[in-house]
Amino acid sequence: MGLPFFKIHSLRFKLIASMISISLFIGFISMLIGVSFLYRSVVNEAGARVGQDLNVARVLYDRQIECVRLALELSASTPSLADALSSGNEAEAAGALNAVALKLNPDILGICDSQGRIIYRHTAEIQGNALNAAPNPLVVKALESQASAAGSLVMDNQELALENPELARFASIRVRENPEDAEAHPHEMTKALMVGAAAPVFSGGRLAGVIYGGFLLNKDTQIVDKIGETVFKNEKYKGRSIGTATIFYQNLRVATSVKDSSGNRAIGTFASEEVNSRVLGKGEKWTDRAKVLDEWYITAYEPLTDIMGRRVGMLYVGVLEAKYNDIRTRAISVFVKIILASAAIAIILGWLITRRIMAPVSHLIQASAEISRGNFTPDIGPISRDDIGQLQRKFLKMTTALKEREESQKAQSEIRLIQSEKQASVGKLAAGVAHEINNPLTAVLTFTHMILRRTDLPGEVRSDLETVASQTERVRRIVKSLLDFSRQSALTPESLDVNSLIQESVKLLENQALIKGVSLSFRGADDLPLFTLDHNQCQSVFINMIINALDATPSGGKISIQTRKASLENAKGVEIKITDTGTGIAPEHMDKLFDPFFTTKEVGKGTGLGLAVSAGIIQRHGGSISVHSKLGEGTVFTIWLPMADNPE
Amino acid sequence: MKILIVDDDPIIILSCRRILEAEGHELRVANTVDEGESFLVEESFDLMITDIKMPGADGFEMIRRAGKARPEMPVLVMTGYLMQETLDEGASLGVTDYIAKPFTPDELLRAIEGV
């Protein structure tokens, strides 16, 4: 294929462009649907997962509490402790307790008597009157129910200070930013969120006292890191932990694995207002995507209640949304790559297909150009088997038909040429014969007339000779007409004014008409353009027509000639009417009127060639001649000549 | 009148003779242009009648030579068919008149008188 790529670019381009647009369109739609579908289900899954992670976190949290309870219960059941307590031997009781302390290592640990007075604190000296200290709620519950109590609780800084002064200092948290509904949070938050337990000690079936212990959650790292380890396996994503956990006191972060921008735990920061109101306020479990510090997480919160049933804080786990976002981004990029690849395939495929289709079409285009250059057997390449093949076959048929037509036209013009040559040679023959006849005819005519001059001719002889003479005259006329007729020469057309041509002819015959007493008039139209005609031949026609009219019209008659613009079969031309009031033409003569040698004149008068010659001249101009006649009234000859030169 | 007739066909000569001698004209006859020329050189004539179509040199050649030998002499041309070309050439050579063949005695005599 020798054609450059974009020569038929409009069709090829359209095909390829439409293929690309279809594939792009489908690609993008599938991408949009697919990605959003994928993302939503992933997010749903993540949310479900985070909810479950929260449950696990809760289990870990509760486990801590149970740990304490179990340890204390165990300890409470040791006989030595029970005896020491019932006998009021505080030192012994303390000793028994130390084992527990060593093992459990709680932040606070103490013993109360059966009245609830704190009689021993592991981590602090009993100051002043222990009775002044209100017993912690765990102890109260244990005493009341005579069973162990465990759970979360809040302690004032003073309370904690009594139990563990050092811890009390440790426990206070700097509040980092104020929440939207400033409930006058102090710059330092001094309340302590704790988990603990209290177990009653029985001696001899009677309640001897209660041992209690607990852990401080403020700034705790154990629980939150345990959660991170267990639930999230400390998985990291781009350097950040995927999963985070937080323990809130109210809505303030007191223990968390959420790190701020400098890498420190974000203790002392607040949860969002929505979380606050829903979780703390209404006590609902809450799962949604939320902004934690500056990152988007999929989060789950649930309230923490103390042993009195009051909501004192929240437990939170969250999973970095970025990881899931990246799934979406990757999915999109995969889709885009697929789309681009399919577009590329579409281009290649389109180009190949159009090439296959276009090959025969471009051949046909070239072939058409060849035809207009005159080559009727162009090469159109191999016939393809599809619809284009039909086109190719029809095209071949067309070229064959064109070729045949061309050849038949050539043949015709040859035939015509040969005919006119033949006519020319017949003319030459006639002219030759005529010329040969002229000389002997001269002699016959001359000598006959000379004889007739004699005065001594007997009547019969004279009349016989006169017959000879008149017939010889007739022969002369015939020969002349023959020469005229064979002299049908080719037209030498020139641009001329029909009216003036007719006027000339009229002028030539004016006198003759006058002599005969026939009126000869001409009225020419004044809007005639110039015509392309042979001057002499046309004039001979008009003269012949007028002479015929004169011959047919008796004295007192009228011959009138008119011209007017007239069209015949969409060709512009002129109509010339020669009307006479003569004797008319009999209907039986009409057919033969234009035949050579037909004449109605007396024998010896006309030769009958005039009309034939005139008709021939008119025909060769591409015009026509017709006649209307009524015997006794007159005749009208109508000649039509075209404006443009259409010789046959 | 003294008339020179030039024609290759004897019957034409004979016919002309028959007509003109009956009127008392003096005639000289030539069959070829050369013959005619030699006559013209030797004698003077009142009129020359010549045919056009002759073998060898044609009537026009005759007229040309006559124009040289006897410039004032009128020339009458006999022609089988009067065509425009004949008229044109004749006009350029100074032909006086034409007569169409075949002709009657009266026609010939009329033509001569006209000259």
Side-chain angles (χ1 to χ4, degrees), chain A residues 374-494:
Chain A
N375 169 17
F376 290 107
T377 48
D379 167 35
I380 60 168
I383 309 272
S384 62
R385 280 170 298 172
D386 55 18
D387 308 306
I388 303 251
Q390 278 219 15
L391 179 65
Q392 287 175 306
R393 267 177 288 230
K394 295 283 189 290
F395 191 84
L396 272 179
K397 263 202 195 142
M398 181 189 77
T399 58
T400 321
L402 276 171
K403 186 159 193 211
E404 277 168 19
R405 191 144 78 98
E406 172 87 352
E407 274 164 14
S408 82
Q409 267 186 356
K410 251 199 283 185
Q412 265 190 13
S413 58
E414 268 181 21
I415 293 170
R416 215 168 285 159
L417 197 62
I418 291 170
Q419 268 184 354
S420 65
E421 278 175 3
K422 223 174 25 174
Q423 270 177 357
S425 64
V426 165
K428 268 202 207 134
L429 184 65
V433 164
H435 271 114
E436 283 305 305
I437 291 174
N438 275 341
N439 282 2
L441 205 61
T442 307
V444 171
L445 210 55
T446 303
F447 283 94
T448 310
H449 275 269
M450 291 313 282
I451 297 172
L452 280 169
R453 276 199 191 169
R454 292 164 71 112
T455 50
D456 59 349
L457 293 175
E460 270 185 14
V461 173
R462 177 163 290 275
S463 79
D464 287 349
L465 277 170
E466 278 169 353
T467 307
V468 171
S470 69
Q471 288 313 301
T472 314
E473 287 281 329
R474 191 171 159 200
V475 172
R476 176 167 82 160
R477 279 197 296 275
I478 290 171
V479 167
K480 180 152 195 311
S481 302
L482 192 63
L483 281 172
D484 284 342
F485 191 66
S486 71
R487 275 279 302 163
Q488 289 187 64
S489 51
L491 302 174
T492 46
E494 52 189 288

Side-chain angles (χ1 to χ4, degrees), chain B:
Chain B
M1 286 203 280
K2 195 166 173 204
I3 306 174
L4 173 65
I5 307 176
V6 183
D7 198 320
D8 64 311
D9 192 345
I11 194 62
I12 298 291
I13 305 274
L14 194 60
S15 308
C16 289
R17 257 221 160 111
R18 184 72 180 81
I19 301 168
L20 295 172
E21 277 175 353
E23 297 300 311
H25 296 297
E26 200 186 331
L27 298 179
R28 294 285 183 274
V29 299
N31 284 323
T32 66
V33 172
D34 290 330
E35 266 187 58
E37 191 183 16
S38 63
F39 270 116
L40 284 171
V41 161
E42 278 168 37
E43 301 171 53
S44 75
F45 293 88
D46 299 307
L47 171 67
M48 180 176 80
I49 305 175
T50 176
D51 184 22
I52 295 294
K53 270 211 153 66
M54 290 190 282
D58 68 0
F60 291 121
E61 179 59 25
M62 185 73 255
I63 300 164
R64 244 174 261 125
R65 295 191 197 178
K68 280 199 219 125
R70 305 276 168 198
E72 302 88 37
M73 180 182 69
V75 174
L76 186 63
V77 168
M78 291 185 288
T79 171
Y81 192 64
L82 191 56
M83 294 183 292
Q84 190 59 42
E85 299 101 74
T86 320
L87 278 169
D88 292 340
E89 184 140 16
S92 71
L93 290 171
V95 168
T96 317
D97 203 359
Y98 300 83
I99 180 166
K101 285 195 281 192
F103 46 77
T104 63
D106 292 337
E107 283 164 9
L108 181 60
L109 290 172
R110 259 203 302 272
I112 287 171
E113 273 166 45
V115 146

Side-chain angles (χ1 to χ4, degrees), chain A residues 246-285:
Chain A
T246 303
I247 301 173
F248 288 86
Y249 166 66
Q250 303 295 343
N251 62 342
L252 183 76
R253 282 191 186 87
V254 298
T256 182
S257 61
V258 174
K259 305 255 168 68
D260 62 15
S261 42
S262 28
N264 298 323
R265 294 181 190 249
I267 295 180
T269 56
F270 284 94
S272 73
E273 186 41 44
E274 198 196 347
V275 169
N276 189 19
S277 68
R278 293 276 292 275
V279 181
L280 267 182
K282 296 194 189 140
E284 293 172 359
K285 214 170 159 176

Side-chain angles (χ1 to χ4, degrees), chain A residues 565-596:
Chain A
K565 222 155 106 169
S567 289
L568 191 70
E569 283 169 22
N570 289 328
K572 290 198 221 160
V574 62
E575 188 187 80
I576 305 151
K577 262 201 165 93
I578 303 126
T579 317
D580 67 54
T581 57
T583 49
I585 304 169
E588 58 267 23
H589 292 153
M590 285 298 227
D591 282 341
K592 295 178 276 184
L593 211 59
F594 295 102
D595 288 354

Side-chain angles (χ1 to χ4, degrees), chain A residues 66-107:
Chain A
E66 282 309 303
C67 237
V68 178
R69 183 216 288 264
L70 201 61
L72 292 181
E73 272 183 358
L74 222 54
S75 194
S77 61
T78 58
S80 51
L81 181 59
D83 290 337
L85 212 55
S86 66
S87 56
N89 191 340
E90 288 155 9
E92 220 182 282
L97 201 54
N98 277 335
V100 176
L102 284 169
K103 275 281 160 36
L104 191 60
N105 199 16
D107 292 329

